[in-house]
Short mmCIF file of all heavy atoms in Angstrom, two decimals:
data_model
loop_
_atom_site.label_atom_id
_atom_site.label_comp_id
_atom_site.label_asym_id
_atom_site.label_seq_id
_atom_site.Cartn_x
_atom_site.Cartn_y
_atom_site.Cartn_z
N ALA S 1 -12.01 10.89 -13.01
CA ALA S 1 -11.49 12.15 -12.46
C ALA S 1 -12.14 12.42 -11.16
O ALA S 1 -11.44 12.85 -10.14
CB ALA S 1 -11.75 13.27 -13.45
N LYS S 2 -13.49 12.04 -11.01
CA LYS S 2 -14.21 12.29 -9.77
C LYS S 2 -13.56 11.42 -8.73
O LYS S 2 -13.45 11.80 -7.53
CB LYS S 2 -15.56 12.08 -9.99
CG LYS S 2 -16.30 13.21 -10.72
CD LYS S 2 -17.79 13.15 -10.99
CE LYS S 2 -18.39 14.07 -11.73
NZ LYS S 2 -19.92 13.85 -11.97
N ARG S 3 -13.24 10.08 -9.18
CA ARG S 3 -12.68 9.21 -8.15
C ARG S 3 -11.30 9.74 -7.78
O ARG S 3 -10.90 9.67 -6.57
CB ARG S 3 -12.72 7.84 -8.82
CG ARG S 3 -12.21 6.79 -7.82
CD ARG S 3 -11.99 5.37 -8.62
NE ARG S 3 -13.29 5.07 -9.28
CZ ARG S 3 -13.30 4.06 -10.24
NH1 ARG S 3 -12.15 3.35 -10.37
NH2 ARG S 3 -14.34 3.83 -10.84
N VAL S 4 -10.42 10.12 -8.72
CA VAL S 4 -9.10 10.67 -8.43
C VAL S 4 -9.15 11.92 -7.46
O VAL S 4 -8.33 12.07 -6.52
CB VAL S 4 -8.38 10.98 -9.71
CG1 VAL S 4 -7.18 11.80 -9.52
CG2 VAL S 4 -8.12 9.63 -10.47
N ALA S 5 -10.26 12.78 -7.72
CA ALA S 5 -10.33 13.96 -6.90
C ALA S 5 -10.61 13.67 -5.35
O ALA S 5 -10.37 14.53 -4.56
CB ALA S 5 -11.46 14.80 -7.50
N GLU S 6 -11.07 12.50 -5.01
CA GLU S 6 -11.29 12.16 -3.63
C GLU S 6 -10.02 11.63 -3.00
O GLU S 6 -10.03 11.55 -1.79
CB GLU S 6 -12.26 10.87 -3.66
CG GLU S 6 -13.71 11.29 -4.16
CD GLU S 6 -14.59 10.10 -4.24
OE1 GLU S 6 -14.19 8.97 -4.04
OE2 GLU S 6 -15.76 10.27 -4.43
N ASN S 7 -9.02 11.44 -3.71
CA ASN S 7 -7.70 10.95 -3.06
C ASN S 7 -7.02 12.05 -2.21
O ASN S 7 -7.36 13.26 -2.45
CB ASN S 7 -6.67 10.47 -4.16
CG ASN S 7 -7.10 9.33 -4.83
OD1 ASN S 7 -7.90 8.53 -4.54
ND2 ASN S 7 -6.46 9.14 -6.07
N ALA S 8 -6.22 11.70 -1.37
CA ALA S 8 -5.33 12.79 -0.61
C ALA S 8 -4.46 13.53 -1.61
O ALA S 8 -3.79 12.92 -2.41
CB ALA S 8 -4.58 11.97 0.42
N PRO S 9 -4.62 14.82 -1.58
CA PRO S 9 -4.00 15.64 -2.57
C PRO S 9 -2.42 15.36 -2.59
O PRO S 9 -1.86 15.38 -3.73
CB PRO S 9 -4.22 17.14 -2.11
CG PRO S 9 -5.51 16.99 -1.33
CD PRO S 9 -5.53 15.72 -0.71
N LEU S 10 -1.77 15.12 -1.47
CA LEU S 10 -0.34 14.94 -1.44
C LEU S 10 -0.01 13.59 -2.15
O LEU S 10 1.04 13.43 -2.76
CB LEU S 10 0.11 15.00 0.01
CG LEU S 10 1.72 14.98 0.08
CD1 LEU S 10 2.42 16.12 -0.69
CD2 LEU S 10 2.06 15.04 1.45
N THR S 11 -0.87 12.59 -1.96
CA THR S 11 -0.65 11.35 -2.63
C THR S 11 -0.74 11.50 -4.18
O THR S 11 0.07 10.97 -4.94
CB THR S 11 -1.63 10.19 -2.19
OG1 THR S 11 -1.45 10.09 -0.86
CG2 THR S 11 -1.31 8.90 -2.81
N ASN S 12 -1.80 12.25 -4.63
CA ASN S 12 -1.83 12.52 -6.07
C ASN S 12 -0.67 13.27 -6.53
O ASN S 12 -0.08 13.00 -7.68
CB ASN S 12 -3.16 13.31 -6.41
CG ASN S 12 -4.35 12.46 -6.39
OD1 ASN S 12 -4.34 11.26 -6.45
ND2 ASN S 12 -5.54 13.13 -6.43
N TYR S 13 -0.13 14.23 -5.84
CA TYR S 13 1.05 14.95 -6.24
C TYR S 13 2.28 13.99 -6.29
O TYR S 13 3.03 14.12 -7.31
CB TYR S 13 1.30 16.03 -5.15
CG TYR S 13 2.40 16.95 -5.52
CD1 TYR S 13 2.12 18.14 -6.32
CD2 TYR S 13 3.73 16.88 -5.26
CE1 TYR S 13 3.07 19.11 -6.70
CE2 TYR S 13 4.72 17.66 -5.60
CZ TYR S 13 4.33 18.80 -6.43
OH TYR S 13 5.35 19.71 -6.77
N ALA S 14 2.33 13.17 -5.43
CA ALA S 14 3.49 12.24 -5.44
C ALA S 14 3.42 11.35 -6.71
O ALA S 14 4.45 11.10 -7.29
CB ALA S 14 3.58 11.40 -4.27
N LEU S 15 2.28 10.90 -7.03
CA LEU S 15 2.10 10.04 -8.20
C LEU S 15 2.46 10.75 -9.52
O LEU S 15 2.96 10.14 -10.43
CB LEU S 15 0.61 9.45 -8.26
CG LEU S 15 0.32 8.43 -7.11
CD1 LEU S 15 -1.12 8.06 -7.10
CD2 LEU S 15 1.17 7.12 -7.34
N MET S 16 2.04 12.07 -9.51
CA MET S 16 2.34 12.88 -10.73
C MET S 16 3.82 13.24 -10.81
O MET S 16 4.36 13.30 -11.85
CB MET S 16 1.58 14.21 -10.63
CG MET S 16 0.03 13.92 -10.73
SD MET S 16 -0.78 15.45 -10.29
CE MET S 16 0.01 16.63 -11.39
N HIS S 17 4.40 13.64 -9.72
CA HIS S 17 5.71 14.27 -9.76
C HIS S 17 6.84 13.31 -9.29
O HIS S 17 8.06 13.40 -9.81
CB HIS S 17 5.71 15.55 -8.87
CG HIS S 17 4.98 16.65 -9.39
ND1 HIS S 17 5.35 17.69 -10.08
CD2 HIS S 17 3.52 16.84 -9.29
CE1 HIS S 17 4.39 18.51 -10.43
NE2 HIS S 17 3.26 18.01 -9.98
N ALA S 18 6.65 12.57 -8.26
CA ALA S 18 7.69 11.68 -7.87
C ALA S 18 7.80 10.26 -8.50
O ALA S 18 8.86 9.86 -8.90
CB ALA S 18 7.45 11.39 -6.29
N LEU S 19 6.63 9.67 -8.72
CA LEU S 19 6.77 8.35 -9.41
C LEU S 19 7.40 8.35 -10.78
O LEU S 19 8.27 7.45 -10.93
CB LEU S 19 5.35 7.73 -9.47
CG LEU S 19 5.21 6.32 -10.08
CD1 LEU S 19 6.07 5.41 -9.23
CD2 LEU S 19 3.80 5.93 -10.17
N PRO S 20 7.13 9.27 -11.59
CA PRO S 20 7.90 9.15 -12.94
C PRO S 20 9.44 9.38 -12.74
O PRO S 20 10.17 8.77 -13.55
CB PRO S 20 7.31 10.38 -13.75
CG PRO S 20 5.94 10.64 -13.17
CD PRO S 20 6.13 10.26 -11.65
N ARG S 21 9.81 10.21 -11.82
CA ARG S 21 11.27 10.48 -11.57
C ARG S 21 11.84 9.23 -10.90
O ARG S 21 12.98 8.89 -11.25
CB ARG S 21 11.40 11.70 -10.72
CG ARG S 21 11.02 13.01 -11.50
CD ARG S 21 11.05 14.19 -10.55
NE ARG S 21 11.02 15.38 -11.49
CZ ARG S 21 9.76 16.05 -11.74
NH1 ARG S 21 8.71 15.50 -11.21
NH2 ARG S 21 9.88 17.17 -12.45
N ILE S 22 11.15 8.60 -9.97
CA ILE S 22 11.65 7.35 -9.25
C ILE S 22 11.95 6.29 -10.39
O ILE S 22 12.94 5.49 -10.29
CB ILE S 22 10.73 6.97 -8.19
CG1 ILE S 22 10.70 7.88 -7.00
CG2 ILE S 22 11.10 5.60 -7.69
CD1 ILE S 22 9.61 7.68 -6.06
N ALA S 23 10.98 6.17 -11.26
CA ALA S 23 11.14 5.10 -12.32
C ALA S 23 12.42 5.33 -13.20
O ALA S 23 12.73 4.37 -13.77
CB ALA S 23 9.83 5.20 -13.13
N GLU S 24 12.78 6.51 -13.28
CA GLU S 24 13.94 6.77 -14.10
C GLU S 24 15.27 6.69 -13.28
O GLU S 24 16.41 6.76 -13.91
CB GLU S 24 14.00 8.16 -14.79
CG GLU S 24 12.70 8.23 -15.76
CD GLU S 24 12.55 9.56 -16.40
OE1 GLU S 24 13.40 10.44 -16.05
OE2 GLU S 24 11.66 9.74 -17.08
N GLN S 25 15.23 6.64 -11.98
CA GLN S 25 16.43 6.76 -11.11
C GLN S 25 17.06 5.31 -11.01
O GLN S 25 16.35 4.19 -11.24
CB GLN S 25 16.09 7.23 -9.78
CG GLN S 25 15.86 8.56 -9.60
CD GLN S 25 15.39 9.04 -8.35
OE1 GLN S 25 14.89 8.28 -7.49
NE2 GLN S 25 15.75 10.35 -7.95
N PRO S 26 18.36 5.18 -10.87
CA PRO S 26 18.97 3.95 -10.40
C PRO S 26 18.25 3.41 -9.15
O PRO S 26 17.73 4.21 -8.47
CB PRO S 26 20.41 4.27 -10.12
CG PRO S 26 20.70 5.51 -10.86
CD PRO S 26 19.34 6.27 -10.80
N ALA S 27 18.22 2.00 -9.03
CA ALA S 27 17.46 1.39 -8.05
C ALA S 27 17.74 1.94 -6.61
O ALA S 27 16.75 2.26 -5.87
CB ALA S 27 17.66 -0.12 -8.11
N ASP S 28 19.01 2.11 -6.26
CA ASP S 28 19.33 2.55 -4.85
C ASP S 28 18.74 4.03 -4.61
O ASP S 28 18.26 4.29 -3.54
CB ASP S 28 20.83 2.48 -4.64
CG ASP S 28 21.73 3.31 -5.50
OD1 ASP S 28 21.16 3.65 -6.66
OD2 ASP S 28 22.73 3.69 -5.18
N GLN S 29 18.84 4.86 -5.59
CA GLN S 29 18.35 6.22 -5.55
C GLN S 29 16.79 6.18 -5.56
O GLN S 29 16.20 6.94 -4.76
CB GLN S 29 18.80 7.11 -6.78
CG GLN S 29 20.37 7.30 -6.62
CD GLN S 29 20.85 8.13 -7.78
OE1 GLN S 29 20.01 8.86 -8.45
NE2 GLN S 29 22.09 8.08 -8.16
N GLY S 30 16.24 5.35 -6.34
CA GLY S 30 14.77 5.20 -6.36
C GLY S 30 14.24 4.69 -5.05
O GLY S 30 13.19 5.35 -4.60
N PHE S 31 14.87 3.77 -4.51
CA PHE S 31 14.45 3.34 -3.12
C PHE S 31 14.45 4.47 -2.11
O PHE S 31 13.48 4.60 -1.25
CB PHE S 31 15.19 2.13 -2.61
CG PHE S 31 15.03 0.83 -3.41
CD1 PHE S 31 16.04 0.13 -3.80
CD2 PHE S 31 13.77 0.46 -3.81
CE1 PHE S 31 15.96 -1.07 -4.48
CE2 PHE S 31 13.59 -0.79 -4.56
CZ PHE S 31 14.68 -1.51 -4.87
N PHE S 32 15.49 5.28 -2.16
CA PHE S 32 15.65 6.28 -1.17
C PHE S 32 14.56 7.38 -1.34
O PHE S 32 13.88 7.92 -0.45
CB PHE S 32 17.04 6.94 -1.13
CG PHE S 32 17.32 7.80 0.00
CD1 PHE S 32 17.45 7.43 1.26
CD2 PHE S 32 17.37 9.19 -0.29
CE1 PHE S 32 17.64 8.22 2.23
CE2 PHE S 32 17.64 10.10 0.76
CZ PHE S 32 17.69 9.66 2.08
N THR S 33 14.40 7.76 -2.64
CA THR S 33 13.35 8.73 -2.99
C THR S 33 11.98 8.28 -2.63
O THR S 33 11.19 9.00 -2.10
CB THR S 33 13.41 9.07 -4.45
OG1 THR S 33 14.72 9.44 -4.87
CG2 THR S 33 12.40 10.24 -4.77
N GLU S 34 11.74 6.98 -2.77
CA GLU S 34 10.49 6.45 -2.43
C GLU S 34 10.20 6.50 -0.91
O GLU S 34 9.20 6.87 -0.43
CB GLU S 34 10.38 4.94 -2.84
CG GLU S 34 9.11 4.22 -2.47
CD GLU S 34 9.21 2.71 -2.63
OE1 GLU S 34 10.02 2.04 -1.95
OE2 GLU S 34 8.59 2.14 -3.70
N ALA S 35 11.24 6.16 -0.20
CA ALA S 35 11.08 6.29 1.31
C ALA S 35 10.83 7.66 1.71
O ALA S 35 10.01 7.89 2.75
CB ALA S 35 12.39 5.77 1.97
N LEU S 36 11.59 8.64 1.13
CA LEU S 36 11.25 10.05 1.54
C LEU S 36 9.82 10.40 1.23
O LEU S 36 9.05 11.05 2.05
CB LEU S 36 12.19 10.99 0.88
CG LEU S 36 13.69 10.87 1.15
CD1 LEU S 36 14.51 11.83 0.33
CD2 LEU S 36 13.84 11.34 2.64
N MET S 37 9.39 10.01 0.08
CA MET S 37 7.98 10.41 -0.40
C MET S 37 6.95 9.73 0.40
O MET S 37 5.94 10.35 0.76
CB MET S 37 7.84 10.07 -1.89
CG MET S 37 6.68 10.79 -2.58
SD MET S 37 6.76 12.60 -2.68
CE MET S 37 5.58 13.18 -1.43
N ALA S 38 7.22 8.45 0.71
CA ALA S 38 6.25 7.73 1.63
C ALA S 38 6.15 8.45 2.97
O ALA S 38 5.05 8.58 3.49
CB ALA S 38 6.73 6.25 1.78
N ALA S 39 7.25 8.79 3.52
CA ALA S 39 7.29 9.49 4.83
C ALA S 39 6.57 10.80 4.84
O ALA S 39 5.70 11.02 5.74
CB ALA S 39 8.70 9.71 5.32
N ILE S 40 6.77 11.52 3.73
CA ILE S 40 6.07 12.84 3.56
C ILE S 40 4.56 12.62 3.46
O ILE S 40 3.72 13.40 4.08
CB ILE S 40 6.63 13.62 2.34
CG1 ILE S 40 8.06 14.07 2.75
CG2 ILE S 40 5.83 14.87 2.17
CD1 ILE S 40 8.85 14.58 1.61
N ALA S 41 4.18 11.75 2.53
CA ALA S 41 2.77 11.56 2.32
C ALA S 41 2.01 11.04 3.51
O ALA S 41 0.91 11.51 3.85
CB ALA S 41 2.64 10.57 1.18
N GLN S 42 2.61 10.16 4.24
CA GLN S 42 1.82 9.61 5.35
C GLN S 42 1.73 10.56 6.61
O GLN S 42 0.96 10.32 7.53
CB GLN S 42 2.49 8.20 5.82
CG GLN S 42 3.81 8.37 6.44
CD GLN S 42 4.36 7.02 6.89
OE1 GLN S 42 4.03 5.99 6.19
NE2 GLN S 42 5.39 6.91 7.66
N SER S 43 2.59 11.62 6.45
CA SER S 43 2.57 12.60 7.65
C SER S 43 1.50 13.59 7.43
O SER S 43 1.07 14.33 8.42
CB SER S 43 3.88 13.25 7.60
OG SER S 43 4.05 14.13 6.59
N ALA S 44 0.81 13.60 6.37
CA ALA S 44 -0.20 14.62 6.16
C ALA S 44 -1.47 14.29 6.98
O ALA S 44 -1.81 13.13 7.21
CB ALA S 44 -0.64 14.71 4.62
N PRO S 45 -2.09 15.35 7.60
CA PRO S 45 -3.33 15.00 8.38
C PRO S 45 -4.40 14.27 7.66
O PRO S 45 -5.01 13.37 8.22
CB PRO S 45 -3.80 16.52 8.69
CG PRO S 45 -2.54 17.33 8.65
CD PRO S 45 -1.68 16.76 7.51
N ASP S 46 -4.55 14.52 6.46
CA ASP S 46 -5.56 13.86 5.59
C ASP S 46 -5.23 12.33 5.58
O ASP S 46 -6.14 11.50 5.65
CB ASP S 46 -5.72 14.46 4.25
CG ASP S 46 -6.78 13.88 3.37
OD1 ASP S 46 -7.62 13.17 4.00
OD2 ASP S 46 -6.78 14.07 2.15
N ALA S 47 -3.96 11.97 5.32
CA ALA S 47 -3.51 10.65 5.27
C ALA S 47 -3.73 9.99 6.55
O ALA S 47 -4.15 8.78 6.62
CB ALA S 47 -2.08 10.60 4.86
#
């Protein structure tokens, strides 16, 4: 938990909220959702 707490908060949020949903989407939708989440996460100042 202490190690996880050091991560960028938006990346942790993506792993909790986006990844499970991406895993359940058809591949083409999952790829698009992944691209959106990657773009959002990397735009954070912390990232």
